[in-house]
Amino acid sequence: MANSMVPWLPDGTEEGDFLSIDLGSTNFRVMLSQFTPGQKPKSEVQHYKVPNNVRTGESSGIFNFMAESIIDFVEKNEEIKNKELPLDAIGKDAVKLLQDAIDRIPNSKVKVVAILNDVTATLASGHSLDKNCVIGFALGSGLNISYVERTSCLENWTKRPEGYETVEFIDINTEFCAIGDNGSLDFIKTQFDFELDSESLFPGAALTALGLATLIDRIDKESITIAASGSTIEKHPKLATQLIDFTRELVKDFE
């Protein structure tokens, strides 16, 4: 598990225009989010297909591709093309490389200001729409869960950085898909779990519903909303419903 260092979620007072990006295995998404206090955020997204030679080539190629796509998106939008826009991106070194690539394009005004995991962003997005949302869940080519935890429960976070001394809650990125990678969960697996894992692109993903149910029980609130994103959960015709039903059954077992 990883402390995301994100202690606050949207509360409806946010204001301004922000760019977000998401790089997948085949597509690159650029999204404009517009916040007005007291209103639901507005968003506009455009997909850019990542060419094979870019995806498998040197790192400079992918960052140049992302920068060019971002500027293309901005230039096509009359509302924002003359604004200096903050951009959320992923990875410390990647941010510098991306900013350098953007700066190489003449007259670009996009600045990278924040980095966060995609499942943390999913949680923040869900919370902006429903204040009961305290779990973020992503299921696409990857799998992950984040949730809001009491800082008093973080045994290893004894020395807090400046500005976090009085923070009561923090977003935890579980990196759920990696749990059990070292064999620590093998003792509870059956023959069928091992067979499923051997054929699965992501071994251990079958524990998803159990993980969600455990978090719901751990959070101990009467009403909880889960923000979900990802190509698999969005496009599979039955998975979302089945996952909800199975999670509910598991939560009942905990009661």
Side-chain angles (χ1 to χ4, degrees):
M1 292 190 178
N3 186 337
S4 71
M5 303 300 290
V6 176
W8 302 285
L9 294 172
D11 61 7
T13 62
E14 294 76 24
E15 185 173 10
D17 298 338
F18 298 85
L19 283 179
S20 298
I21 62 173
D22 176 42
L23 178 63
S25 57
T26 57
N27 287 286
F28 176 62
R29 295 188 297 173
V30 182
M31 183 172 72
L32 169 66
S33 297
Q34 298 178 301
F35 294 87
T36 302
Q39 299 181 20
K40 288 186 176 181
K42 297 179 181 179
S43 62
E44 177 184 343
V45 63
Q46 184 168 340
H47 294 75
Y48 295 85
K49 186 174 179 60
V50 182
N52 288 334
N53 64 310
V54 171
R55 187 168 61 249
T56 59
E58 296 182 356
S59 60
S60 58
I62 191 64
F63 287 107
N64 288 337
F65 168 77
M66 289 192 290
E68 291 166 2
S69 300
I70 291 168
I71 299 305
D72 175 75
F73 179 87
V74 171
E75 288 296 319
K76 289 179 179 178
N77 194 312
E78 292 292 332
E79 288 187 70
I80 62 173
K81 71 177 185 178
N82 293 317
K83 292 183 178 180
E84 183 171 305
L85 294 167
L87 169 69
D88 291 345
I90 300 172
K92 185 177 180 180
D93 292 336
V95 168
K96 184 180 185 306
L97 290 171
L98 177 58
Q99 187 66 67
D100 290 345
I102 292 172
D103 291 342
R104 286 194 292 269
I105 299 176
N107 302 317
S108 62
K109 297 182 179 180
V110 176
K111 300 298 179 185
V112 181
V113 298
I115 56 174
L116 70 163
N117 186 278
D118 59 348
V119 76
T120 299
T122 299
L123 171 56
S125 177
H127 191 81
S128 70
L129 301 174
D130 185 338
K131 296 302 179 287
N132 287 319
C133 181
V134 290
I135 296 176
F137 171 51
L139 180 59
S141 56
L143 166 68
N144 202 2
I145 299 173
S146 70
Y147 73 104
V148 177
E149 178 62 277
R150 298 173 183 85
T151 54
S152 59
C153 296
L154 303 182
E155 297 179 358
N156 295 327
W157 203 33
T158 55
K159 189 176 181 180
R160 301 187 187 184
E162 184 178 352
Y164 286 82
E165 297 87 350
T166 60
V167 169
E168 296 182 11
F169 297 93
I170 203 84
D171 173 64
I172 296 297
N173 169 20
T174 67
E175 291 299 339
F176 182 81
C177 201
I179 296 176
D181 275 0
N182 60 356
S184 60
L185 297 181
D186 287 357
F187 73 99
I188 63 171
K189 289 185 177 181
T190 68
Q191 164 195 346
F192 306 105
D193 292 311
F194 287 110
E195 289 181 3
L196 180 62
D197 283 352
S198 68
E199 299 295 330
S200 174
L201 182 61
F202 297 99
L207 295 172
T208 301
L210 179 59
L212 287 171
T214 303
L215 285 179
I216 291 171
D217 180 70
R218 168 73 182 81
I219 291 169
D220 192 27
K221 291 181 64 176
E222 291 185 2
S223 179
I224 287 179
T225 301
I226 299 174
S229 69
S231 58
T232 301
I233 201 164
E234 291 170 1
K235 296 179 181 179
H236 193 287
K238 297 181 179 179
L239 179 62
T241 301
Q242 292 174 342
L243 188 61
I244 291 171
D245 291 342
F246 190 32
T247 302
R248 283 174 175 164
E249 288 301 315
L250 287 171
V251 171
K252 288 180 182 178
D253 291 341
F254 290 155
E255 294 176 349

